[in-house]
Amino acid sequence: MKYVNQPVPKKDAMALVTGKPVYTDDLAPKDCLIIKLLRSPHANAWVEEIDTAAAEKIPGIACVLTHKDVPKKRFATAGQTYPELSPYDRRILDEHLRFVGDPVAIAAGETEEAVDKALKRIKVKYRVETPVLDMHTAKDNAILVHPEEDWEAKVPVGADNKRNLASSGTEGMGDVDEVLSRCKYTVDEVYHTKADQQSMMETFRTYCYMDYFGRLNVVSSTQIPFHLRRIVGTALDISPSKVRVIKPRIGGGFGAKQTSICEVYPAIVTWKTGRPSKIVYSRYESLICASPRHEMEVHVRVGADENGIVKAIDVYALSNAGAYGDHSPTTIGLTGHKAIALYRNLEAYRFNYDVVYTNVQASGAYRGYGATQGIYAVESAVNELAHKMNMDPAIIRERNMPLEGERMYAYDGNITHATSCTMDRCLARAKEMMDWDAKYPCRDMGNGKVRGVGMAMAMQGSSIACVDVGGATMKLNEDASYTLSLGCADMGTGCDTILAQMAADCMETEFSNVVVFGVDTDVSPYDSGSYASATTYATGNAVVRACQELREKICKLGAKMLEASPEEADFDGKTVTCGEKSVTIEEIAIQGTCGNCQELQVTSTFSSTMSPPPYMVGIAEVEVDKETGSVEVVDYAAVVDCGTPINPNLARVQTEGGIVQGIGMALTEDVQYTEKGKIRNNSFMQYKIPSRQDVGDIRVEFESSYEKSGPFGAKSIGELVIDTPCPAIADAIYNATGVRVRELPILPEKIAMGILKQELE
């Protein structure tokens, strides 16, 4: 292989670093109507009267739309394969407002100044009702977040709007209570994770225009072009065939753009006015009305015998959907499945969950997608179990971790086997990198500062088995170059690059000879989208298949040109040879466009019945100031098994970025609400994401396995890498201070108060 497993520069690297106009707002027509939204100041209210007359008279205003002017069609904004598991509980605009920030009206005008003035002149009379703000009291509360009769769950996921449930369920194996009663050591604790914002650099943005066929064109920074076409069509109550979606470069997504946050607003304006329009969310809007990670409270009971063999795990997860149920039934599944499956010796497990509606900002997809919360809770409980047994946390993991060929319980809700796994090597190497045996549990650094170490292991998936579809079209052009057309969305991860690396090796051509074409739902092959760690695995397999079939077509045409049979033909990327005769790829390319009945273009799709997990071990070293409780992550050692890393440089920066996001979740990112349901953290002044100066060394290595079902032996990496920092850092802080904090983020005051409490005792 010339390109696979090599650190090839990204296809779009120079365009991005030189500031080329490649992003959505860069490409929007200059005559776009500017769209802004009037948002609810109340967490639970009804629009009794709304007067837009004064706003509509402002010069430059094209239209002001309210719930009276838009379709009364309910839809889900979660970008997932149809039928969506998320409830159909939204309208473009609704008279019932369910959180502070819910849209009340749409104003569209020639200038931003005109639109801002119009928003101030819209007069609204609200009937304010008591909100449900506490997820602990939401289930079966007399106050209903969704009392409407046209609420719909298309798939039976335990959702019931009359009980404030967006999803609910139970699954398991064996008698958990009986097995736990036999365990010599048990832990029974509750762990709380708050909502977290994806905080991508490019906020939500979309522009729309009508083409000369009368079709609505939606150009959006989205991870889900094909699902978005369906969502917009459903919301506007028009056929999806009347909607075309184009995806330019994306300035980051991390799952936020797996939800259709803003697209319906310019879509309805353009559909009604016939004029191009655009919406660009401010950072303020992206923090108060987006799609953060689900807040969860996870109750874990875990038991082990005297040898540290984990025999039973019991997990109950309470998840806060917020005002709408997008992604709620799917994120919660990963909370149990990916965490419980880390322990191979189970005799019994149980996983119960409730996802409840409340009157706060709706949650959605964020890297890790529910597994992050579950792995934090279960790995923390296992660390506590190890301390109770006076056992090194590394040893308890060595005795219980997934091993290749061994059974995995609860993974995707089924019992399966690890097809490729180097978790044991990941742990051994991570310990070596951190000098674990010398540093565990802590070292006194003097001057009131102590350094502690902590570890965690994690697993994720590679696409959603039997659901996700990858698509690729490979075409030989007349100049012997290749065009690779994709339906997946490169959101900065470099998937266009790694898929081109695969194509170049499959076709035995130069990497620069492969041109990658981004997503246009009119011409791109269908692809589920860039989420669920699917791109490398699912779309990569589609690329390999398309290339294999294209090679066969090239051989067939080359043989025809040489008046030989295809069975005699051999293709080395430059020539097709049949015995002593040969013809060049350039000659074949020209023949392919002249007097030829066989098109040298192949579209291939791939969907898998399995989802081979990638694995990771992360070890954190933190320094705690015992006087102030402040924490600094001074070192983080991560070792990843993602199968064959297609591009080691891109895999490394993916890992580093995910770790930094996990550090933010563990230590600084603290979403808070007022007693009236208004979010306090509405800028990066209040919502603290870590900068490069806030983290120490992050060291990443790979212990590769070979996944036979993956392209070139590859598995996924995108989501896995955020999962280990929270439990590893939490245990490192405990090892340094003796203070166990079970609610994230672990703020300095929590540590300082814990230390003070110890001293008083």
Side-chain angles (χ1 to χ4, degrees), residues 606-625:
F606 176 84
S607 185
S608 178
T609 58
M610 59 187 296
S611 176
Y615 304 92
M616 176 179 177
V617 172
I619 301 180
E621 182 177 20
V622 304
E623 183 171 277
V624 183
D625 186 323

Side-chain angles (χ1 to χ4, degrees), residues 248-261:
R249 288 280 131 219
I250 302 177
F254 309 117
K257 295 170 183 175
Q258 194 193 336
T259 303
S260 174
I261 296 294

Side-chain angles (χ1 to χ4, degrees), residues 321-378:
Y324 299 97
D326 300 302
H327 297 283
S328 290
T330 42
T331 52
I332 194 66
L334 274 67
T335 302
H337 296 159
K338 301 300 186 282
I340 293 170
L342 286 167
Y343 293 86
R344 73 175 188 274
N345 298 309
L346 298 178
E347 294 180 8
Y349 74 84
R350 179 166 56 206
F351 175 39
N352 295 334
Y353 55 88
D354 289 310
V355 190
V356 294
Y357 283 116
T358 60
N359 291 113
V360 299
Q361 176 180 202
S363 299
Y366 184 6
R367 192 178 204 164
Y369 203 77
T372 310
Q373 298 96 307
I375 288 173
Y376 161 66
V378 171

Side-chain angles (χ1 to χ4, degrees), residues 158-169:
D160 186 346
N161 62 318
K162 302 303 183 183
R163 301 183 65 197
N164 281 338
L165 284 174
S167 185
S168 182

Side-chain angles (χ1 to χ4, degrees), residues 208-210 216 265-277:
C208 297
Y209 63 92
M210 301 298 294
L216 177 66
Y265 307 116
I268 189 66
V269 167
T270 295
W271 187 253
K272 280 184 168 290
T273 67
R275 298 181 60 182
S277 66

